[in-house]
Amino acid sequence: MSINTARTIFLPILFILLIGFVLRSHNLTTWPRLGATFDEYAWTWLGMNLIQEGIPKSWSPHREYSNKKYVQYQKTAFWIATPYLEHPPFFGIVAGTFAMANGASNMYQVTIDKIRPLALFLGVTSIVLVFILTREIYDKKIALLSSLIFATIPTIVIGSRIVQNENFFIPSFLLSIIFIIKYLRTKRRLFLFLSAFICGFLILAKIPWVAAALTIVMILFYNKKYKDGLFVILISTIFFIGFLFYGYFYDWNLFVNLWKLQLQRYDLEFNSVYALFTEPYLVDRLMIDGWVYFGWFAFVLLLIKDFRKNYIPIFGMLGYLAVFVFAIPNEAGHGWYRYPFYPFLAISLAVFIKDYFNKNSILTFMFTLFIGLSLLELTWTRIFGFSFVVFRLFLFLSAIPLLPLFFKNSKLKKISNSLNYLLLLIIFLLNIWTVYLYNEQ
């Protein structure tokens, strides 16, 4: 890469990272509110107690635990279970270590302001990795656009503020894919080992993160690297066996009973997947974000247009979708289960904009209409109330670029293209406004 090329990339990505950081840090410890999910404490307490006492201990409502203590902390009731075995410990250790480094000497000194900076770090890191991954697959324009989309989509920004395992999984997952791309291009086995071991450690963070290994194996098999795929399966299996030993060491009967609970916990009917579109949970509250809805449409276009060119984000999306459908479909108030889809939706949206925006009038109209109206609902309506004038004006402006379909005129085409770019700029500004307005009152 030349110095001039590096400069043309460095300044825009720095600007995007600054936007992503500012949006994520705004109201970081306020919204989502304390208690939107107390899993933030569950993960942190798990790691802190494992580090300090050598025993996994955290809160859980499940009756499978016989050794549990009732406590009240920050005006909230918790059942503290010992040993806490419903999840592997790795992310808990990461969160607990961060909390202790940030001043929490025991579990009852954990507060939102001590742990959410970890989520901020993971969120900004994910923006960087979305850029790097997309740059490896496509070009710098799509890479910058996908990172800008990922940095500003309101659902992604606000969701990335919570200390949830999913927000740890995203950058780790992206990094494992980047390493496997590097391996396929350079043949250096170090990259294969790094990718495989990330997949293994992710299983020690949460069992559904086998999605990373599944994705890497699909990528390798697609490239006829069957032995390498089997190697990733072997490494992931070894790490999973390590978790079984972990459960055996602390309480095997409890461990087995919790596995039975987890396997029967979720509804696997079609409605559970359909709820991705009918119940757009952000955390535990609903928020209709046109970016997410249109992202699924953009992914379908990605899927059917040029599979060979797009197979890596396709496998990333399908790898998590397979685990989501099989193991973790919709549960009310658990919006974070959707987060691992979002990097690939952002990439799909970036590819859509490059391939179709101002090149297909109808798809461009659908894009501005879908996303623009949803963002106006989250901004203008929230502040000033619904306005027929504003919404109809936006509809009118979005429809003007359809005129070249019926009137072949070069000047009209230029005006239409310019108007579409203006609407796209307005949409990104509405992203920022939506994030700044977000509250749960």
Side-chain angles (χ1 to χ4, degrees):
M1 182 184 298
S2 68
I3 294 176
N4 289 334
T5 302
R7 286 175 179 171
T8 60
I9 292 177
F10 177 75
L11 291 179
I13 192 60
L14 187 64
F15 176 70
I16 291 168
L17 287 175
L18 180 62
I19 293 175
F21 175 83
V22 170
L23 291 179
R24 284 159 175 77
S25 59
H26 175 70
N27 283 334
L28 175 67
T29 60
T30 306
W31 310 116
R33 73 200 183 283
L34 172 66
T37 167
F38 275 112
D39 283 1
E40 293 187 275
Y41 283 6
W43 295 113
T44 308
W45 286 349
L46 164 62
M48 289 186 71
N49 286 306
L50 194 55
I51 294 168
Q52 294 177 336
E53 302 180 16
I55 300 174
K57 181 167 64 174
S58 190
W59 81 267
S60 177
H62 300 312
R63 63 177 181 270
E64 281 73 12
Y65 291 104
S66 58
N67 183 13
K68 55 187 179 181
K69 179 177 70 172
Y70 175 82
V71 300
Q72 281 196 335
Y73 180 60
Q74 296 186 356
K75 300 180 181 179
T76 306
F78 297 96
W79 284 104
I80 306 300
T82 308
Y84 177 88
L85 296 177
E86 59 198 74
H87 291 296
F90 185 62
F91 176 63
I93 292 172
V94 172
T97 300
F98 184 90
M100 291 188 293
N102 206 25
S105 59
N106 61 67
M107 63 183 286
Y108 298 116
Q109 290 187 0
V110 171
T111 55
I112 288 294
D113 62 294
K114 286 185 171 66
I115 59 176
R116 282 199 178 170
L118 171 62
L120 177 61
F121 170 77
L122 294 172
V124 174
T125 301
S126 296
I127 298 173
V128 175
L129 293 174
V130 165
F131 171 80
I132 294 173
L133 175 61
T134 315
R135 183 71 177 85
E136 290 289 332
I137 303 169
Y138 301 105
D139 56 42
K140 68 178 182 181
K141 290 182 180 179
I142 296 181
L144 289 170
L145 187 54
S146 62
S147 56
L148 177 63
I149 291 169
F150 190 80
T152 60
I153 289 179
T155 296
I156 296 175
V157 172
I158 298 163
S160 71
R161 294 175 184 164
I162 61 173
V163 183
Q164 268 290 4
N165 214 318
E166 283 70 12
N167 285 329
F168 172 74
F169 173 65
I170 290 170
S172 304
F173 187 20
L174 296 175
L175 190 59
S176 70
I177 299 174
I178 291 168
F179 281 141
I180 213 63
I181 295 173
K182 292 286 189 182
Y183 169 66
L184 291 172
R185 289 186 178 164
T186 66
K187 312 303 180 186
R188 292 182 60 189
R189 296 193 67 80
L190 173 63
F191 292 123
L192 173 64
F193 294 152
L194 290 172
S195 181
F197 277 91
I198 289 173
C199 292
F201 276 109
L202 282 172
I203 291 174
L204 292 185
K206 195 173 183 181
I207 294 301
W209 299 166
V210 71
L214 177 60
T215 298
I216 298 304
V217 169
M218 286 194 294
I219 291 172
L220 289 170
F221 280 8
Y222 183 74
N223 286 277
K224 298 181 171 42
K225 301 287 186 180
Y226 302 113
K227 289 183 179 179
D228 295 330
L230 292 175
F231 173 74
V232 174
I233 293 172
L234 174 63
I235 295 298
S236 300
T237 302
I238 290 172
F239 275 86
F240 176 71
I241 291 172
F243 179 48
L244 297 181
F245 276 109
Y246 172 82
Y248 179 81
F249 178 79
Y250 284 105
D251 190 329
W252 181 249
N253 288 333
L254 173 61
F255 184 77
V256 171
N257 288 334
L258 288 168
W259 262 86
K260 291 178 180 178
L261 170 70
Q262 297 284 20
L263 291 173
Q264 298 175 7
R265 180 177 169 185
Y266 300 109
D267 180 2
L268 299 180
E269 295 179 349
F270 173 76
N271 285 341
S272 296
V273 178
Y274 186 53
L276 285 169
F277 309 100
T278 58
E279 299 175 9
Y281 280 104
L282 196 160
V283 179
D284 65 335
R285 304 287 178 92
L286 301 177
M287 188 172 85
I288 296 177
D289 187 339
W291 281 105
V292 175
Y293 281 89
F294 201 86
W296 284 96
F297 174 73
F299 172 71
V300 172
L301 292 180
L302 196 75
L303 189 66
I304 63 178
K305 185 181 180 184
D306 187 346
F307 188 89
R308 180 64 192 175
K309 181 180 179 181
N310 302 311
Y311 77 94
I312 288 176
I314 288 172
F315 283 151
M317 189 77 161
L318 295 181
Y320 183 68
L321 181 61
V323 174
F324 182 89
V325 171
F326 182 79
I328 50 173
N330 185 66
E331 184 170 338
H334 289 57
W336 51 89
Y337 291 160
R338 293 111 184 263
Y339 296 177
F341 290 123
Y342 296 157
F344 305 106
L345 293 183
I347 294 172
S348 301
L349 285 158
V351 174
F352 170 86
I353 291 173
K354 185 175 184 295
D355 288 350
Y356 296 102
F357 194 81
N358 266 341
K359 298 173 184 175
N360 184 305
S361 298
I362 294 176
L363 290 179
T364 303
F365 171 71
M366 289 174 57
F367 173 85
T368 55
L369 201 66
F370 250 82
I371 299 175
L373 290 180
S374 73
L375 293 174
L376 283 173
E377 176 70 23
L378 295 169
T379 52
W380 186 277
T381 299
R382 179 165 291 185
I383 296 297
F384 303 108
F386 178 76
S387 168
F388 283 108
V389 173
V390 170
F391 277 73
R392 284 173 176 162
L393 176 61
F394 189 86
L395 284 169
F396 175 73
L397 293 175
S398 300
I400 287 176
L402 291 174
L403 292 177
L405 283 174
F406 309 100
F407 305 98
K408 305 300 181 183
N409 183 286
S410 59
K411 180 178 283 190
L412 180 61
K413 180 65 175 175
K414 289 180 180 179
I415 293 173
S416 298
N417 288 348
S418 298
L419 181 56
N420 278 331
Y421 282 123
L422 176 62
L423 290 170
L424 184 61
L425 175 62
I426 290 172
I427 283 171
F428 277 108
L429 292 175
L430 287 174
N431 278 352
I432 295 171
W433 194 12
T434 299
V435 172
Y436 268 80
L437 288 179
Y438 180 79
N439 65 71
E440 297 171 359
Q441 294 175 340

